[in-house]
C-alpha cells in the first residue's frame, strides 16, 4: 500500500468488472460511519474522495428526495451526480480530488478542486487503462505516461478528455476595477476561516508569526468558542511552529501565541535533522524543485510531531502572497497591470509549489491541512479588487499586502499587535532560520563535484540543475522516480525571490542573481542577514512558504472497459 501514510484510519476497495476504486481514509468528518467508497441509494454510483466539502449541509438541504447513508461531507458528490450528471463540480465549496464510477454505463469521471489544494495525477497504461492517484508513487510503475491532473478540471471517460470546470473572472487576467472595501475583504476572509472549523477531530493552526498565519490564528481563536469543535475538544486553540533555535519565526510565533492565548507548541530542529530527512522528504513530496524541498523539510518534521500529539487537522496560511503580491519582488512591479497578471500567474502555479508541499508534507504523516486564503469565494473577492490598491508604495506608507493588513487593523478590537500586523514577509524556508539554507548548500557541495556540474546539461536535459543543491536533489528524485513522465511533472524556469520567469524581467540586475530566497530581493528585505549574506548562490527555481493539506486518497481509473486504482 504505497499511499497508506495518507490515510491510516481505513482501507477501502471496490471492484466492478475490471474497474477498481481504492481509498486510504484519514477520518476528519464522521469518523464512525464515513468510510469509503461512498454510494448513492441503490449503490449504482460509487465515489472515492480526498478532501473536505465545506457546504455539504447546504447541499444536503437541496436534495430532499435523497437518502444519505453517512454523515460524511463527501457523500453529497454521489447524489449531486445523480441529479446533475457531470455538471455539478462547481457547486462544491471545498478542497477535493475524486473519482466517481457510474456502474449503469461503466463510465467514470475524475475531478480536482479549483486551485489544486489536494494533489492528483493521471496516467495511461499500455493496455488501455487509465489510472488516477493522489501521488506519483501510486501509478508511476504501472503507466507508460502520466502527468499532474490540472486543477479546476474534470476528466470524463465518455469523451476521454479534460474539461475546465473552474472559470472565474480573474482567470483571463483581465484587469479588475472594483474599489477596495476593507470591511468587505475582512468579512470574506473571516468567513473562509470559519467554514474550515468544521471537524470531528482535534485540530490546531500552523503559526509562523508572520502576517498570514497570525491572521488565521487570530480569526480561529476569535470564532472557536461555541463551535461543535470547541464543545468536543475544548475552546483553547492549539498552535504549532517549527524552526532552528533562535529563528525569526519562533520568536514571532511565541509573541502572537501569547497575545492570542493559544496553547502553543514550539518544535526545534537542527540543520543535521533536516539533512537526514531529505531523502524521505523528496520521496513524499515528489519534486526536485529547490525551494519546495527547502520549505517542505521543516514542515515534514513538524507534521510528524503534530500527529504524535493526536491532532489530525491544521489550518494554514498558504496563498496570501500569491493573491496580494506579498513576495518582496513585487516592489519592482512596473505598473498595476503587470502586478495583477503576476498574481494570476502565481495562483495558477500554486498546485506545483505551495499546495503540493503543504499537502504532501502533512499527509506524509496522516495530517490534513486546510487553507482559507485559497477559499474559492475569497479568491474571487480579492482578485476582483483594482490592483492599484495592491501596489507597494512606500512613499504612501503602503508595504506589501497593505490592503490585507489595513482590513484587519481594528483599533477597537485588535486582531493582532501593530508590529505583527505590519511585519515584513519572511519566506518559510528563510523564517525557520537563515542557516538552514546555508547548511543545505554546504551539504550539497560535499556530494556534487565541479565536474558533475560541468556535464549537468548532458545528464539532465530537462530543467538542467544550475546549482549543486539542485543537482543533489535531482539525483535523489531520479532514484525514486526514474521515469521521464515524473521528470516532466516538476516545473522549472528562472526565478528571483519566488517570482515567475516573466517577473524576472522587471529588474535587469535580477537575471544575474537568480536566487529563490526572499533575501535575493536586493534593497527590499530589511532583516539582518549579516555574516550569512556572502553565501548567496545563483539558483533558478521557485520558492514557497508554509502549507496546507489533504487526507487520504488513491484512485485509479481505467478508460473503457475499466478502471484501475492503486492504493
Amino acid at each position: 500500500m504505497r499511499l497508506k501514510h495518507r490515510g491510516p484510519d481505513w482501507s477501502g476497495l471496490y471492484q466492478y468488472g475490471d474497474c477498481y476504486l481504492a481509498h486510504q481514509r484519514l477520518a476528519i468528518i464522521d469518523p464512525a460511519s464515513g468510510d469509503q467508497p461512498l454510494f448513492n441509494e441503490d449503490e449504482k454510483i460509487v465515489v472515492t474522495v480526498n478532501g473536505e466539502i465545506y457546504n455539504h449541509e447546504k447541499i444536503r438541504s437541496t436534495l430532499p428526495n435523497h437518502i444519505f447513508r453517512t454523515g460524511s461531507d463527501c457523500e453529497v458528490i454521489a447524489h449531486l451526480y445523480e441529479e446533475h450528471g457531470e455538471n455539478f463540480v462547481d457547486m462544491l465549496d471545498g478542497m477535493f480530488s475524486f473519482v466517481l464510477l457510474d456502474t449503469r454505463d461503466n463510465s467514470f469521471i475524475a475531478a480536482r478542486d479549483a486551485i489544486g489544494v489536494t494533489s492528483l495525477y493521471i496516467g495511461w497504461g499500455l493496455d488501455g487503462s487509465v489510472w488516477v492517484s493522489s501521488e506519483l508513487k501510486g501509478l508511476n510503475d504501472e503507466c507508460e505516461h502520466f502527468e499532474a491532473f490540472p486543477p479546476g478540471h474534470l476528466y470524463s471517460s465518455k469523451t476521454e478528455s479534460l474539461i475546465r470546470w473552474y472559470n472565474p473572472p480573474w482567470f483571463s487576467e483581465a484587469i479588475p476595477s472594483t474599489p477596495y472595501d476593507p470591511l468587505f475583504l475582512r468579512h470574506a476572509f473571516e468567513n473562509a476561516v470559519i467554514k474550515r472549523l468544521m471537524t470531528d477531530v482535534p485540530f490546531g493552526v500552523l503559526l509562523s508569526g508572520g502576517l498570514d498565519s497570525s491572521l488565521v490564528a487570530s480569526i480561529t481563536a476569535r470564532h472557536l468558542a461555541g463551535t461543535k469543535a470547541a464543545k468536543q475538544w475544548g475552546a483553547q486553540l492549539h498552535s504549532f511552529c517549527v524552526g532552528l533555535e533562535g529563528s525569526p519565526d519562533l520568536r514571532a510565533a511565541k509573541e502572537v501565541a501569547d497575545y492570542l492565548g493559544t496553547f502553543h507548541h514550539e518544535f526545534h530542529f537542527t540543520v543535521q535533522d533536516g539533512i537526514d530527512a531529505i531523502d524521505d522528504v523528496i520521496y513524499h513530496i515528489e519534486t526536485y524543485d529547490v525551494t519546495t524541498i527547502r520549505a517542505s523539510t521543516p514542515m515534514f518534521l513538524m507534521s510528524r510531531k503534530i500527529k504524535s500529539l493526536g491532532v489530525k487537522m491544521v489550518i494554514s496560511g498558504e496563498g496570501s502572497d500569491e493573491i496580494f503580491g506579498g513576495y518582496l519582488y513585487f516592489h519592482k512591479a512596473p505598473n498595476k497591470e503587470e502586478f495583477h497578471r503576476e498574481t494570476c500567474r502565481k495562483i495558477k502555479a500554486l498546485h506545483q509549489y505551495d499546495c503540493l508541499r503543504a499537502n504532501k508534507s502533512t499527509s506524509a504523516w496522516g495530517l490534513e491541512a486546510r487553507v482559507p486564503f485559497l477559499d474559492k469565494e475569497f479568491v474571487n473577492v480579492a482578485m476582483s479588487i483594482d490592483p492599484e490598491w495592491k501596489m507597494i508604495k512606500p512613499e504612501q506608507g503602503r508595504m506589501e499586502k497593505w490592503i490585507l493588513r489595513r482590513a484587519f487593523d481594528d483599533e477597537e478590537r485588535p486582531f493582532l499587535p501593530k508590529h505583527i500586523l505590519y511585519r515584513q514577509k519572511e519566506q518559510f524556508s528563510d523564517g525557520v532560520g537563515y542557516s538552514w539554507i546555508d547548511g543545505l548548500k554546504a551539504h550539497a557541495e560535499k556530494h556534487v563535484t565541479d565536474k558533475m556540474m560541468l556535464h549537468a546539461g548532458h545528464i539532465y536535459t530537462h530543467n538542467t540543475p544550475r546549482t549543486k543543491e539542485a543537482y543533489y536533489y535531482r539525483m535523489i528524485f531520479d532514484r525514486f522516480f526514474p521515469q521521464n513522465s515524473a521528470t516532466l511533472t516538476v516545473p522549472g524556469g528562472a526565478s528571483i525571490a519566488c517570482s515567475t520567469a516573466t517577473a524576472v524581467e522587471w529588474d535587469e540586475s535580477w537575471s544575474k542573481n537568480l536566487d529563490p530566497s526572499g533575501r535575493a530581493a536586493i534593497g527590499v528585505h530589511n532583516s539582518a542577514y549579516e555574516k550569512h549574506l556572502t553565501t548567496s548562490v545563483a539558483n533558478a527555481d521557485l520558492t514557497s512558504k508554509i502549507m496546507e493539506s489533504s487526507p487520504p486518497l488513491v484512485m485509479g481509473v481505467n478508460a473503457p472497459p475499466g478502471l484501475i486504482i492503486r492504493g
Side-chain angles (χ1 to χ4, degrees):
M1 301 293 282
R2 300 176 192 172
L3 302 196
K4 179 72 173 178
H5 55 274
R6 296 183 68 89
D9 299 330
W10 170 260
S11 297
L13 177 65
Y14 176 87
Q15 178 183 0
Y16 181 80
D18 60 354
C19 303
Y20 299 81
L21 289 92
H23 189 268
Q24 292 296 145
R25 187 185 186 203
L26 176 63
I28 304 292
I29 303 297
D30 187 23
S33 67
D35 294 337
Q36 299 192 31
L38 298 165
F39 303 87
N40 69 331
E41 293 89 340
D42 62 6
E43 299 192 0
K44 295 296 177 71
I45 311 299
V46 193
V47 63
T48 55
V49 190
N50 167 32
E52 306 293 341
I53 309 302
Y54 302 119
N55 63 337
H56 74 103
E57 292 183 348
K58 181 179 179 181
I59 291 174
R60 284 173 184 253
S61 69
T62 68
L63 301 168
N65 298 323
H66 287 260
I67 299 172
F68 288 82
R69 298 164 176 262
T70 74
S72 170
D73 53 298
C74 296
E75 189 180 346
V76 297
I77 293 174
H79 299 284
L80 283 175
Y81 174 81
E82 213 175 356
E83 289 288 327
H84 303 282
E86 297 178 356
N87 303 311
F88 71 90
V89 184
D90 200 28
M91 301 177 189
L92 302 174
D93 181 7
M95 59 180 193
F96 54 83
S97 296
F98 68 81
V99 169
L100 181 149
L101 172 66
D102 187 342
T103 64
R104 296 171 300 186
D105 60 4
N106 205 37
S107 66
F108 68 88
I109 60 173
R112 189 179 183 186
D113 66 63
I115 306 297
V117 175
T118 59
S119 60
L120 197 64
Y121 297 86
I122 185 168
W124 294 266
L126 287 173
D127 58 355
S129 58
V130 178
W131 299 62
V132 178
S133 173
S134 288
E135 297 186 6
L136 276 181
K137 60 184 69 70
L139 49 68
N140 69 306
D141 287 337
E142 316 296 341
C143 297
E144 182 68 14
H145 174 75
F146 51 90
E147 57 194 46
F149 194 106
H153 280 70
L154 175 145
Y155 177 87
S156 172
S157 67
K158 294 177 180 178
T159 61
E160 298 186 10
S161 61
L162 284 159
I163 304 162
R164 183 154 62 89
W165 63 263
Y166 180 56
N167 295 285
W170 64 266
F171 208 86
S172 68
E173 302 184 13
I175 311 304
S177 58
T178 303
Y180 169 49
D181 182 336
L183 287 181
F184 188 65
L185 184 65
R186 179 200 293 185
H187 294 153
F189 188 59
E190 284 187 290
N191 289 336
V193 174
I194 291 169
K195 72 175 67 169
R196 282 161 178 77
L197 301 183
M198 177 186 83
T199 179
D200 292 329
V201 298
F203 82 103
V205 294
L206 300 178
L207 180 59
S208 71
L211 173 67
D212 308 326
S213 65
S214 297
L215 283 179
V216 169
S218 178
I219 296 168
T220 302
R222 185 170 292 198
H223 293 280
L224 181 58
T227 65
K228 180 182 176 182
K231 293 174 183 177
Q232 284 183 298
W233 309 109
Q236 186 176 24
L237 179 65
H238 287 253
S239 56
F240 308 95
C241 185
V242 66
L244 301 177
E245 192 81 48
S247 67
D249 279 2
L250 292 181
R251 292 191 297 270
K254 179 66 166 60
E255 183 177 3
V256 175
D258 289 344
Y259 179 81
L260 298 177
T262 69
F263 192 107
H264 191 57
H265 307 262
E266 183 177 289
F267 305 119
H268 298 169
F269 76 102
T270 66
V271 172
Q272 190 59 51
D273 291 335
I275 289 172
D276 290 343
I278 290 294
D279 281 36
D280 287 340
V281 169
I282 293 175
Y283 174 75
H284 280 287
I285 66 173
E286 304 175 323
T287 187
Y288 50 83
D289 176 67
V290 169
T291 52
T292 302
I293 294 168
R294 288 177 177 178
S296 293
T297 305
M299 183 75 255
F300 177 85
L301 296 172
M302 176 168 61
S303 296
R304 184 179 191 178
K305 295 284 190 180
I306 293 173
K307 186 60 184 290
S308 72
L309 296 174
V311 172
K312 297 176 74 173
M313 185 271 282
V314 290
I315 307 178
S316 183
E318 265 77 25
S320 174
D321 290 308
E322 286 74 14
I323 294 169
F324 295 105
Y327 293 108
L328 299 180
Y329 73 89
F330 274 93
H331 281 251
K332 296 293 185 75
N335 51 58
K336 73 175 187 178
E337 291 80 12
E338 272 302 301
F339 191 108
H340 179 72
R341 293 188 187 106
E342 176 70 359
T343 60
C344 293
R345 290 189 291 265
K346 291 292 292 178
I347 296 172
K348 291 175 183 178
L350 267 169
H351 69 286
Q352 299 173 304
Y353 299 103
D354 291 39
C355 291
L356 175 146
R357 184 194 67 252
N359 175 284
K360 295 179 181 178
S361 296
T362 52
S363 61
W365 299 105
L367 181 69
E368 175 181 280
R370 298 181 180 177
V371 197
F373 277 110
L374 298 180
D375 179 82
K376 194 165 59 169
E377 294 178 22
F378 178 72
V379 171
N380 286 341
V381 168
M383 293 302 289
S384 70
I385 299 171
D386 186 334
E388 180 65 30
W389 289 98
K390 297 181 182 180
M391 290 285 285
I392 301 163
K393 299 185 176 182
E395 69 280 2
Q396 297 180 23
R398 283 163 49 180
M399 64 189 304
E400 66 274 0
K401 294 188 286 194
W402 177 83
I403 65 170
L404 179 63
R405 301 174 196 272
R406 180 67 187 86
F408 285 91
D409 194 347
D410 189 327
E411 296 288 348
E412 294 183 5
R413 195 182 175 203
F415 283 85
L416 294 168
K418 285 273 191 183
H419 66 282
I420 293 291
L421 190 62
Y422 290 94
R423 181 193 182 201
Q424 189 176 57
K425 173 179 177 52
E426 292 273 9
Q427 286 164 198
F428 185 56
S429 53
D430 287 341
V432 297
Y434 291 141
S435 59
W436 165 234
I437 294 175
D438 297 328
L440 288 172
K441 291 178 180 179
H443 180 72
E445 186 76 28
K446 297 176 184 177
H447 290 80
V448 180
T449 66
D450 293 341
K451 188 175 182 179
M452 292 165 71
M453 289 301 299
L454 185 64
H455 300 294
H458 298 289
I459 303 298
Y460 302 113
T461 56
H462 178 75
N463 285 344
T464 303
R466 303 189 189 187
T467 68
K468 291 184 177 181
E469 185 185 5
Y471 196 110
Y472 179 67
Y473 299 152
R474 185 66 168 272
M475 290 191 297
I476 298 171
F477 178 87
D478 278 12
R479 190 168 75 243
F480 293 127
F481 310 105
Q483 301 87 353
N484 185 57
S485 289
T487 299
L488 297 177
T489 64
V490 181
S495 175
I496 181 75
C498 206
S499 76
T500 66
T502 302
V504 171
E505 300 171 6
W506 291 352
D507 189 304
E508 186 178 351
S509 66
W510 284 351
S511 62
K512 304 170 185 176
N513 182 39
L514 295 173
D515 190 328
S517 168
R519 297 170 283 163
I522 300 169
V524 173
H525 198 290
N526 298 322
S527 297
Y529 188 50
E530 297 169 353
K531 63 180 180 180
H532 297 294
L533 190 58
T534 57
T535 61
S536 263
V537 176
N539 193 303
D541 299 289
L542 280 138
T543 276
S544 331
K545 302 145 305 198
I546 296 195
M547 64 242 29
E548 290 120 295
S549 98
S550 118
L553 171 87
V554 182
M555 311 174 290
V557 188
N558 202 22
L563 267 165
I564 300 181
I565 308 180
R566 301 289 277 190

